[in-house]
Amino acid sequence: MKYRIPIPTLDMHTVRRYAGLKSSDFPPERVREAIQTVRLLAEGEGSVHYYPYNSTTHTIIAESGSLTLTSDAIRRHLADAQEVAVMAVTIGSAVEKAIDTAFSAGEYSHALLLDAAATTATEACADWLNRTVTAEARRRGLFTAFRFSPGYGDWDITVQSDIVRLSEGDSIGIAVTGSSMLVPRKSVTAVIPLRAQKAEALAHGCSACTYQKCPSRKEITP
């Protein structure tokens, strides 16, 4: 299924965090300018497909070619799942061209803020599609957990081409380079487990990461 995803109002604190900035590093109007530019240029799109999952063999079962998962982290995340949603989102290439143009013109601070705002918009699109998957699962009496992307934990990004194939990310313009990077760069792929029973919540995101000095780290409340 394909979706057009609305770009929401972007949180200035989150944009600053992705830029690795303190609140005093740039005047608010510079951050607002970058947010407005991204909201004007970004075109949010998403695609998601649901597949049976064999949690014994750790295999996503698909007619186009099944995928057996070898990462311990994604295997644990999908434990006891009977089905998975494989998703992809992008905000398109126009924002990236604006970022590249700003860098080429030597407008480095503006380019940095544009890039951070674009990342915020991409994550917002992924959150929107994640909520859509959760709502569909609940309608069917199933439970979901948070989305898990290639590159997270020990899940190697070389799986990106298979995840894009299973999500049909190419239908919304996403491609994968020879080094397993997504194009457009502001794209996200992920897998969400669907279970019959609600599983114990696991730590994820910044709270599960041990890199305490990461400039994009969220403040963790004990």
Side-chain angles (χ1 to χ4, degrees):
M1 287 174 278
K2 291 172 56 178
Y3 297 90
R4 296 284 293 182
I5 303 177
I7 306 297
T9 300
L10 305 179
D11 177 64
M12 290 182 63
H13 175 75
T14 304
V15 172
R16 283 196 177 99
R17 180 169 60 81
Y18 278 125
L21 302 173
K22 298 177 181 177
S23 59
S24 58
D25 283 345
F26 280 98
E29 56 268 26
R30 297 287 305 277
V31 182
R32 290 195 192 96
E33 179 187 358
I35 289 174
Q36 290 170 355
T37 299
V38 167
R39 293 197 68 206
L40 178 66
L41 297 176
E43 296 182 352
E45 290 188 280
S47 63
V48 62
H49 284 264
Y50 298 83
Y51 297 94
Y53 181 69
N54 186 324
S55 59
T56 301
T57 63
H58 314 290
T59 301
I60 299 172
I61 301 168
E63 290 184 2
S64 63
S66 297
L67 174 64
T68 297
L69 303 170
T70 57
S71 150
D72 290 336
I74 187 64
R75 284 182 171 187
R76 284 195 300 271
H77 188 62
L78 302 183
D80 299 324
Q82 63 190 52
E83 193 173 333
V84 295
V86 186
M87 58 172 274
V89 299
T90 185
I91 61 169
S93 59
V95 174
E96 291 183 2
K97 291 178 181 175
I99 296 169
D100 293 344
T101 298
F103 269 120
S104 298
E107 299 171 353
Y108 302 119
S109 59
H110 183 53
L112 177 67
L113 291 173
L114 283 177
D115 189 85
T119 299
T120 305
T122 307
E123 289 298 321
C125 288
D127 290 344
W128 186 96
L129 190 53
N130 201 147
R131 291 193 297 272
T132 299
V133 169
T134 297
E136 171 62 16
R138 293 300 301 136
R139 187 187 68 77
R140 295 165 51 197
L142 299 173
F143 296 90
T144 61
F146 61 88
R147 65 180 180 273
F148 201 104
S149 295
Y152 190 74
D154 68 348
W155 200 17
D156 199 288
I157 63 169
T158 54
V159 77
Q160 283 286 28
S161 59
D162 283 313
I163 299 303
V164 169
R165 170 178 59 82
L166 292 171
S167 65
E168 295 189 6
D170 60 336
S171 68
I172 56 171
I174 297 177
V176 183
T177 69
S179 55
S180 300
M181 303 303 290
L182 297 177
V183 178
R185 297 190 302 271
K186 297 306 179 184
S187 303
V188 168
T189 64
V191 176
I192 300 172
L194 281 70
R195 299 184 176 95
Q197 302 291 329
K198 191 172 184 178
E200 181 179 352
L202 300 174
H204 66 286
C206 294
S207 62
C209 181
T210 58
Y211 185 41
Q212 301 291 330
K213 296 182 179 179
C214 175
S216 298
R217 186 179 180 85
K218 292 181 181 177
E219 294 181 5
I220 306 300
T221 302

